[in-house]
Amino acid sequence: MSEGCTHDCSSCGQSCSERKEQFDFSAKLNAASKVKKVIAVASGKGGVGKSFVTSTLAAAAAKRGLRTAILDADITGPSIPKAFGISGGTLASEQGILPGISAGGVRVISLNMLVEKPEDPVVWRGPVIAGTVRQFWTEVFWDDIDIMFVDMPPGTGDVPLTVFQSLPIDGVVVVCSPQELVGMIVEKSVRMAEMMDKKVVGLVENMSYFVCPDCGKKHEIYGKSQVEALAAKHGVPVACRLPINADYASAVDRGAVESLDCPELKPLVDAIL
């Protein structure tokens, strides 16, 4: 035990040999809500299309008749409302904050729905950001949800740790791209999930290839795919490859992600649901 110990293990990053009690960091869900399954969508770095994967998985679940929700935990880079064409703020009720609802019925909460100007940056320290994520779970009236997807921020810092410790995560989807460096970084996310005793249900390699519109040949622009080897190494049951597709990007920009059909993700959707 280090000198000056306050015995508050929740604020300490050291491994203390004298620590005996187990601390429960879980947050209580909004009392008027029920969420049956929670899937976290994570990545080792930004820019790999994690929010796109989150959105398409949620849209696919809703199309199968499930009551679906997205908790946008990427506080400093929230993009989920735009993908679903949800604009404007939120309302309050006796049960709690009301989430936005997409055209396809997906319930969404994101910081962009709570600030006056969505284009303004969020200049907050880690503990404040992590606290906001917990509030999304405890203070939003989700109603009765079959499956919730949590769009995580990139990396393995405060917010991913808060999500893994505070929310009842049933599985993790890890998103990557083909470059060797990204493959190394995304492995950190896989290992973090393992350390937190959370099951990785699938790996998604985004921007994996480009299909030539003239000859139909696949071109691996960013290098040879590594997703199947990485999945085998860690015993991950599902590995999906998403192509570079301008139609996907255009639909997200228009707020029409629910109009997309991504057959490449069907094995992962089947495994999750």
Side-chain angles (χ1 to χ4, degrees):
M1 181 180 294
S2 62
E3 294 183 6
C5 177
T6 64
H7 300 282
D8 179 11
C9 296
S10 64
S11 64
C12 178
Q14 297 186 16
S15 177
C16 179
S17 60
E18 294 184 22
R19 176 177 170 176
K20 296 180 179 179
E21 63 178 306
Q22 295 295 319
F23 283 85
D24 182 6
F25 297 103
S26 60
K28 291 185 178 180
L29 179 66
N30 172 276
S33 303
K34 179 187 296 184
V35 178
K36 297 176 183 176
K37 180 180 287 187
V38 183
I39 301 294
V41 183
S43 65
K45 67 181 294 298
V48 297
K50 171 182 49 57
S51 295
F52 172 73
V53 172
T54 302
S55 300
T56 50
L57 288 176
K63 289 176 183 177
R64 296 193 185 192
L66 298 180
R67 295 181 295 273
T68 308
I70 298 178
L71 189 158
D72 190 356
D74 194 355
I75 300 297
T76 59
S79 56
I80 296 297
K82 179 177 177 59
F84 284 89
I86 297 175
S87 59
T90 60
L91 298 174
S93 70
E94 291 183 359
Q95 293 90 353
I97 300 170
L98 299 177
I101 302 179
S102 73
V106 178
R107 286 169 168 76
V108 174
I109 193 66
S110 172
L111 190 68
N112 263 7
M113 302 164 61
L114 301 173
V115 296
E116 184 176 350
K117 296 180 180 179
E119 65 274 11
D120 285 349
V122 177
V123 188
W124 294 351
R125 295 191 182 276
V128 178
I129 295 174
T132 301
V133 172
R134 287 173 61 93
Q135 287 181 293
F136 283 170
W137 176 254
T138 61
E139 297 184 18
V140 172
F141 174 52
W142 293 106
D143 201 1
D144 190 0
I145 297 297
D146 293 315
I147 185 165
M148 173 185 286
F149 294 91
V150 181
D151 187 25
M152 306 262 276
T156 56
D158 283 348
V159 176
L161 183 60
T162 294
V163 171
F164 282 141
Q165 290 185 325
S166 301
L167 275 58
I169 302 298
D170 296 290
V172 181
V173 173
V174 178
V175 184
C176 61
S177 59
Q179 301 98 311
E180 182 179 357
L181 176 62
V182 176
M184 179 271 291
I185 293 174
V186 77
E187 195 161 1
K188 294 179 183 292
S189 291
V190 175
R191 290 182 175 177
M192 180 181 185
E194 293 172 348
M195 290 171 60
M196 302 300 296
D197 200 25
K198 306 298 181 182
K199 180 182 178 182
V200 178
V201 295
L203 293 179
V204 178
E205 186 176 73
N206 195 23
M207 300 176 284
S208 184
Y209 57 88
F210 172 74
V211 179
C212 176
D214 297 323
C215 69
K217 184 179 179 180
K218 288 184 179 181
H219 299 272
E220 294 181 319
I221 296 174
Y222 293 115
K224 185 174 177 59
S225 173
Q226 302 181 60
V227 68
E228 291 182 1
L230 189 61
K233 179 179 179 180
H234 290 276
V236 178
V238 180
C240 301
R241 300 176 66 190
L242 293 181
I244 298 171
N245 190 324
D247 291 338
Y248 290 176
S250 177
V252 171
D253 288 342
R254 299 194 317 270
V257 72
E258 291 172 297
S259 69
L260 292 175
D261 179 24
C262 298
E264 302 87 359
L265 285 177
K266 185 178 183 300
L268 180 56
V269 175
D270 291 341
I272 291 173
L273 303 184

